[in-house]
Structure formats: structure tokens, C-alpha cells
Amino acid sequence: MLYINGRFLTQPMTGVERYAYNLCKAMEELHQPFTLICPQAPIQDCYDVSRMQIVHYGRGNSHFWEQCVLPFFFIGKKNYVVLSFTGLGSILVRNKVMTIHDLSFLENPRWFSRPYYWWYKVMTPLAVRTSKHIITVSEFSKREIMRFYPFLKEQDITVVYNAADESLFRQLPQDFKHEERFALAVSSLDPRKNFARLIEAFQDIPDCKLYIVGSSHRVFGAEHEDKSMQSVVHYLGRVSDEELVRLYNQAVCFIFPSLYEGFGLPPIEAMSCGCPVLVSDIPVLHEVCGDAATYFDPYNPYDIRKTIKQFLETSQGDRNDVTSRRHTRFCPPVTFSWEKSAKTLISLLKEKIPC
């Protein structure tokens, strides 16, 4: 019997929650049976779970529920596996598969608050050692996991890629225009996303605004916000999926200056909407974007500025050609799809970890 830790359904849909939800949807469409075990807290409206089997169990909605309440559900049960898609699984449940999206808290602790850093520094190796198997979102992240936890072998980790939701992230009819030209950036507003350098780079970009979609969170360290750039940089906060698709379609380009990622989903979403992408020259984004993106040095504001300027100065015809090549690569998705990822996961469950 396959159970899934459904605590994510009580949280707003950000990157890791979207990963969990879309894999659940894809497995349901492939007729893979499973049951979601959720806290008593309400399920967020952004999730359509009308066709999924859900059991509400226990009180609370925090890490305490995950670590100390959820394990009681499995007392006396046999022949089961628990999947945790959004990070830590309960260390008291040994028949589990856990997901590690990235190890950014180990790569640079200063990107996070002290409580967050110490919680995951202590709990992650305990959860790893008590898991039957690990899944992660890229070959890069797999290498990072083995680097930080050398007791793991390659066969202990399976890559189950992220993907863009094909029914949502798509090109819209080009019968509308935005009132001003803008570049788009989408991510949580935490230091490793590198928005401070992107904003610095935008100081000398003529006739183009920068729209930033995303919200900050208390677990992240402080990020500098340049008040002098308020006329050029617009913080939109969290937006609906429908509004995000519209922005991807209207933006002149999408910019992703992140310093560290486990996968990097927003560039795939942007490409699926036909939006050219400019991204950090870091290993994982080469794995994800291949030759379908333009790369810059994320630590060098001058190089970021130069790359943006060169792109904006390119003729519209050349831009359309670049966009067309990227559309061919990612729409429909060739490398990444939720169906393909779900099949990889189902195969893992059946072959390596029989329920």
C-alpha cells in the first residue's frame, strides 16, 4: 500500500508543493493507487483533490505532526511505503521514501535563519538514514547529496525531474500587449535567488522595467532592497497561476539570477510560455536548460547587465528565432513532463521498494 505525506496540501503552493501536487496528479492519471495522509487543517483551495483518496489524521499542522503524530497512523500496518515529497519524512517511519530538493542550507547557511538551518542540519541526515530510498530533482542535486552525505551510494538515489504543468504554462494568443516593456523574474525573495545583484545590474538598462514575482519568508536571511530603484523595479508579490502565465507571455524576457538550485523550475515554465530566458551560469541550469538559454555570471552585476543589454538590443526577428527554438525544445516538453516523472517514480516503487 502506498501512502503519501499530505501535509503539503495545507500549505500555499510554492515550488516544492507544486512538485508534490503534480506528481500526485500524474500518478492518479496513471491509475497508481495511493492514499494521502493529511493533518486536520483545511486543504488549500489551490489544490484539486476531488479524485484523490484522503485520510485526515491527528491534530496539529507543523513539523511536530509530521515527526510525532503521523507515525502513530502506521502502528500495526504492514506492507506499506510512505512517500514524502516536500523534504523531511518522519524519522520514526522507516518504510519511507523521502525527497531532497536541494541542500542549499548546507551550501551556505547564511542564506537561512539559524533555527531553519539547525533543524535541517540535524534532522536531514537522520531522515536519510531511516529511509528506504531517496528521490531528488536533478543529477546535480544527486551529486550534491552524495557529496554532503557520503554514506549514500548512487543506487540509493533516484532522479525524478520537475516539469511545467502543460495544461497551464503555455503560449497564449498574441492579441494583447502590456503597456510597458518589462523583464520578469520569479522566485521566493531569499538571498540565494540573487535579486540584489539583478537590481544593481538593472540600474543602467534603458526603456525596460523589472517585474519581480515572489514573496519573502522568515526562514530566509535578510535581503537588501534598493529603494532608489522603485521606479524601475516593481515587486508584485505572490500572484495567481493565471496571472503568472500572462506575465510570462507578455515579458520581453525572463531572468533567473539564482546562485544555487536543486532544479530551477521557473525557466522551464517561462520557456513553455514562449518567453526567452536569461539564466545563471551554474551547473544545474545547464542540465535543465541546455542550449536553450542565454547564460551570465550571477556573481558579476556587470556581466548580468551586459547580457540583458545584448538581448534587448537584438532585433525582434532574431528574438523570435530564439524563442521558436526554445518553444520547439520545451513545448510540448521533450525532456521534462509530469507523466514521465510519475512513471519513473512508479517504476522505482515497484522494482526497488515493493509495497
Side-chain angles (χ1 to χ4, degrees):
M1 179 67 182
L2 174 61
Y3 294 96
I4 295 176
N5 178 349
R7 179 173 172 257
F8 73 90
L9 293 173
T10 67
Q11 313 293 321
M13 191 186 296
T14 58
V16 295
E17 290 84 12
R18 192 180 295 277
Y19 179 83
Y21 176 58
N22 280 297
L23 277 175
C24 287
K25 281 203 309 180
M27 286 196 295
E28 191 274 331
E29 290 168 0
L30 292 169
H31 307 292
Q32 168 63 44
F34 61 86
T35 299
L36 284 152
I37 311 299
C38 300
Q40 294 289 352
I43 292 174
Q44 295 279 322
D45 292 338
C46 53
Y47 303 104
D48 178 7
V49 294
S50 57
R51 297 190 298 176
M52 298 180 193
Q53 183 173 346
I54 295 177
V55 173
H56 291 274
Y57 179 80
R59 295 183 178 274
N61 186 34
S62 64
H63 289 298
F64 180 81
W65 176 87
E66 193 170 57
Q67 295 298 328
C68 300
V69 178
L70 180 60
F72 282 95
F73 178 84
F74 299 101
I75 292 178
K77 290 183 171 59
K78 297 180 179 179
N79 300 321
Y80 70 88
V81 169
V82 184
L83 265 175
S84 286
F85 285 126
T86 56
L88 295 176
S90 172
I91 62 174
L92 299 178
V93 177
R94 290 184 172 267
N95 288 349
K96 71 174 179 292
V97 177
M98 68 173 286
T99 306
I100 298 179
H101 288 264
D102 66 64
L103 293 173
S104 51
F105 66 95
L106 293 177
E107 176 67 17
N108 191 333
R110 292 177 298 174
W111 290 336
F112 300 90
S113 67
R114 281 178 172 243
Y116 181 96
Y117 166 73
W118 281 108
W119 171 258
Y120 280 94
K121 180 180 174 60
V122 171
M123 293 297 291
T124 301
L126 292 175
V128 167
R129 288 184 181 276
T130 55
S131 294
K132 295 289 187 182
H133 200 76
I134 308 297
I135 62 175
T136 192
V137 293
S138 66
E139 293 293 339
F140 168 78
S141 192
K142 181 176 180 176
R143 293 192 297 271
E144 289 288 275
I145 294 167
M146 290 189 291
R147 175 165 74 96
F148 284 108
Y149 303 125
F151 58 85
L152 287 172
K153 304 294 189 293
E154 187 169 356
Q155 61 268 26
D156 297 327
I157 309 168
T158 297
V159 174
V160 179
Y161 280 117
N162 259 295
D165 187 339
E166 301 171 50
S167 64
L168 179 64
F169 295 98
R170 65 192 189 283
Q171 286 187 286
L172 301 177
Q174 296 300 308
D175 56 357
F176 63 95
K177 289 185 178 180
H178 198 271
E179 59 271 16
E180 61 185 3
R181 188 166 75 156
F182 68 92
L184 181 66
V186 176
S187 185
S188 56
L189 303 183
D190 68 271
R192 70 185 170 110
K193 303 302 182 178
N194 201 30
F195 284 127
R197 289 190 181 92
L198 176 60
I199 292 168
E200 180 183 348
F202 242 83
Q203 288 180 342
D204 297 322
I205 303 296
D207 303 319
C208 188
K209 302 295 178 65
L210 175 63
Y211 287 9
I212 297 178
V213 171
S215 59
S216 59
H217 194 280
R218 65 181 180 275
V219 305
F220 302 128
E223 174 77 329
H224 173 69
E225 182 176 324
D226 192 341
K227 302 293 185 182
S228 67
M229 294 291 289
Q230 288 181 345
S231 63
V232 176
V233 180
H234 299 278
Y235 293 92
L236 305 183
R238 185 172 291 171
V239 302
S240 67
D241 284 344
E242 292 74 19
E243 175 67 7
L244 180 58
V245 171
R246 185 186 68 81
L247 290 167
Y248 278 138
N249 274 266
Q250 291 182 326
V252 65
C253 65
F254 174 78
I255 308 174
F256 197 64
S258 183
L259 300 175
Y260 188 95
E261 293 289 330
F263 182 86
L265 182 57
I268 301 299
E269 295 175 344
M271 291 181 192
S272 296
C273 294
C275 183
V277 298
L278 317 179
V279 302
S280 295
D281 189 359
I282 57 177
V284 70
L285 292 182
H286 282 276
E287 178 182 347
V288 170
C289 299
D291 60 359
T294 301
Y295 294 90
F296 54 76
D297 179 356
Y299 292 93
N300 186 341
Y302 172 78
D303 192 58
I304 300 173
R305 182 184 304 122
K306 181 181 71 172
T307 303
I308 297 169
K309 280 187 171 183
Q310 287 177 344
F311 174 81
L312 294 177
E313 291 167 1
T314 303
S315 69
Q316 186 65 49
D318 287 342
R319 276 195 225 153
N320 289 341
D321 178 61
V322 170
T323 302
S324 177
R325 285 190 282 111
R326 291 167 184 174
H327 177 74
T328 299
R329 179 180 170 93
F330 287 100
C331 298
V334 175
T335 306
F336 310 111
S337 77
W338 289 120
E339 180 182 357
K340 185 182 296 186
S341 292
K343 286 179 178 179
T344 300
L345 182 56
I346 291 169
S347 176
L348 164 71
L349 294 170
K350 288 182 177 179
E351 295 176 16
K352 292 189 178 181
I353 312 167
C355 298

